[in-house]
């Protein structure tokens, strides 16, 4: 089992507002930048750990289960034509929010600018804008319950103090993204009623959700990495893609909170649950004994090393 330090962090510090115009930056983005999550916090341990790569598909799928978010991705994203580039950019952005230091707020501003022109009509015939507070806040909100739930399987259950610390740090990420405090539940106690309301009233199996859990997708071979590796993957892709697609569906549905899974209508059996628990039990033993360079993603590893070096200098 992983030790408690895997999810340790400092002690932590209503309902979504009615939709607004969205594109305006919050006042703080025009003045002092919001602080990113603290070094050594819960997110510093969670989001850079290689096991977090298994958590991301569940969060991304829940994001696009929102009718407006799903419509925006369906109509404006390049995830079908450039899935590897889209995934790489999303991961780089997430790592900047947590480990980017001064660049975190800059990345938040970049994302808001990128989303200013994304608008249309959702699956229920409602006009949407990507930066409407209710829509943008949902994209952010999905991270907390997925981290909290998946950590039980892949790392260890969080203590109440760790859960509160994680939520406080996730609020800091929301501020980095330019979301007002009034548009995010401010405590864990406020979050869960909001979560249940969203699952009951908004979330559905959108077109993009169905594509993300499809076991027969038309995903091109990876176009990144060394040329010999790309060449080998291209040759083997017809053989590799089917089991990879099945595995992606397995971890996407399995690491999604059960109430969210039910709200989206994704099936999950007792046998699948046993398989997930067996896989995660192995990862809980193997990953913590890996060297730092294998256990953490590159940006996380560099940030953690710099922070540790500074701590040594300061005695």
């Amino acid at each position: 089992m992983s030790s408690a330090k895997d999810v340790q962090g400092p002690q932590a510090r209503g309902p979504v507002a009615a939709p607004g115009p969205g594109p305006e930056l919050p006042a703080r983005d025009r003045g002092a930048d919001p602080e990113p999550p603290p070094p050594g916090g819960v997110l510093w341990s969670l989001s850079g750990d290689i096991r977090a790569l298994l958590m991301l598909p569940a969060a991304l799928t829940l994001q696009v289960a929102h009718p407006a978010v799903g419509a925006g991705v369906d109509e404006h994203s390049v995830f079908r034509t450039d899935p590897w580039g889209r995934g790489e950019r999303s991961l780089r952005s997430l790592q900047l929010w947590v480990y980017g230091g001064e660049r975190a707020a800059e990345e938040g501003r970049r994302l808001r600018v990128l989303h200013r022109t994304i608008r249309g009509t959702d699956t229920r015939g409602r006009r949407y804008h990507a930066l409407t507070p209710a829509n943008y806040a949902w994209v952010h909100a999905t991270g907390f319950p997925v981290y909290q739930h998946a950590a039980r399987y892949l790392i260890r259950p969080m203590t109440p103090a760790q859960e509160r610390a994680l939520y406080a740090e996730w609020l800091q990420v929301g501020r980095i993204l330019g979301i007002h405090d009034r548009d995010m539940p401010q405590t864990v106690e406020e979050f869960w009623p909001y979560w249940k309301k969203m699952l009951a009233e908004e979330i559905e199996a959108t077109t993009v959700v169905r594509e993300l859990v499809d076991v027969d997708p038309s995903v091109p071979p990876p176009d990144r990495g060394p040329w010999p590796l790309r060449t080998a993957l291209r040759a083997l892709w017809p053989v590799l893609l089917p089991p990879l697609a099945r595995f992606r569906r397995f971890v996407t549905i399995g690491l999604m909170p059960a109430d969210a899974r039910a709200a989206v209508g994704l099936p999950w059996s007792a046998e699948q649950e046993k398989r997930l628990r067996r896989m995660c039990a192995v990862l809980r033993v193997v990953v913590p004994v890996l060297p730092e360079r294998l256990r953490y993603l590159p940006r996380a590893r560099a940030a953690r090393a710099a922070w540790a070096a500074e701590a040594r200098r300061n005695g």
Side-chain angles (χ1 to χ4, degrees):
M1 292 288 287
S2 303
S3 64
K5 69 181 180 182
D6 288 327
V7 288
Q8 271 184 346
Q11 293 303 308
R13 126 239 120 135
V16 171
E24 271 305 307
L25 291 175
R28 64 172 174 274
D29 283 347
R30 301 189 295 270
D33 286 337
E35 290 292 324
V42 176
L43 277 173
W44 265 57
S45 293
L46 270 178
S47 62
D49 189 303
I50 57 171
R51 288 170 288 187
L53 296 175
L54 297 176
M55 305 178 190
L56 295 180
L60 294 172
T61 302
L62 275 178
Q63 290 172 10
V64 298
H66 188 290
V69 180
V73 170
D74 188 23
E75 297 166 5
H76 299 277
S77 176
V78 297
F79 82 99
R80 295 185 182 97
T81 57
D82 183 24
W84 300 102
R86 180 69 179 84
E88 181 181 63
R89 290 188 293 273
S90 295
L91 183 59
R92 183 190 309 128
S93 187
L94 172 59
Q95 295 289 289
L96 281 172
W97 306 343
V98 178
Y99 303 104
E102 294 180 357
R103 294 183 60 192
E106 178 185 331
E107 175 65 7
R109 287 190 290 269
R110 186 191 71 82
L111 289 173
R112 289 186 69 87
V113 170
L114 184 68
H115 286 81
R116 280 179 175 173
T117 59
I118 298 177
R119 63 184 73 225
T121 304
D122 72 14
T123 57
R124 301 181 186 180
R126 303 173 298 191
R127 299 293 297 169
Y128 74 84
H129 188 290
L131 293 180
T132 296
N135 302 338
Y136 207 53
W138 171 253
V139 173
H140 163 259
T142 58
F144 169 69
V146 170
Y147 272 139
Q148 185 253 13
H149 174 74
R152 300 175 186 172
Y153 289 82
L154 289 162
I155 303 174
R156 62 180 298 143
M158 295 185 189
T159 67
Q162 289 165 346
E163 186 175 314
R164 288 178 182 280
L166 172 62
Y167 192 74
E169 292 173 23
W170 200 243
L171 286 179
Q172 290 178 266
V173 169
R175 296 175 191 124
I176 289 289
L177 296 175
I179 304 172
H180 289 287
D181 277 0
R182 66 173 176 265
D183 297 320
M184 300 182 289
Q186 290 298 291
T187 65
V188 172
E189 289 79 10
E190 292 176 7
F191 176 82
W192 293 119
Y194 157 78
W195 171 252
K196 288 179 171 55
K197 180 178 174 65
M198 292 296 293
L199 295 184
E201 299 179 4
E202 287 289 335
I203 302 312
E204 61 184 39
T206 63
T207 297
V208 183
V209 166
R210 292 193 293 271
E211 288 187 38
L212 291 179
V213 297
D214 188 2
V215 295
D216 188 27
S218 55
V219 178
D223 57 0
R224 281 152 174 76
W227 177 82
L229 177 61
R230 284 185 284 121
T231 302
L233 286 173
R234 188 160 49 245
L236 295 171
W237 199 239
V239 176
L240 294 175
L241 180 56
L244 287 174
R246 290 193 295 270
F247 180 73
R248 182 182 69 175
R249 176 183 172 89
F250 177 70
V251 296
T252 298
I253 300 176
L255 293 177
M256 187 180 292
D259 53 356
R261 196 162 57 214
V264 181
L266 297 174
W268 188 249
S269 68
E271 179 57 35
Q272 287 174 310
E273 180 70 15
K274 291 178 184 177
R275 286 168 48 208
L276 179 67
R277 290 178 181 274
R278 286 196 297 266
M279 181 191 78
C280 292
V282 173
L283 292 174
R284 287 198 305 271
V285 172
V286 172
V287 174
V289 299
L290 293 176
E292 184 97 351
R293 62 186 175 82
L294 296 179
R295 180 176 174 184
Y296 286 96
L297 298 170
R299 188 177 297 277
R301 190 168 66 247
R304 289 165 60 87
W307 176 62
E310 183 179 354
R312 287 194 297 270
R313 285 195 300 270
N314 294 335

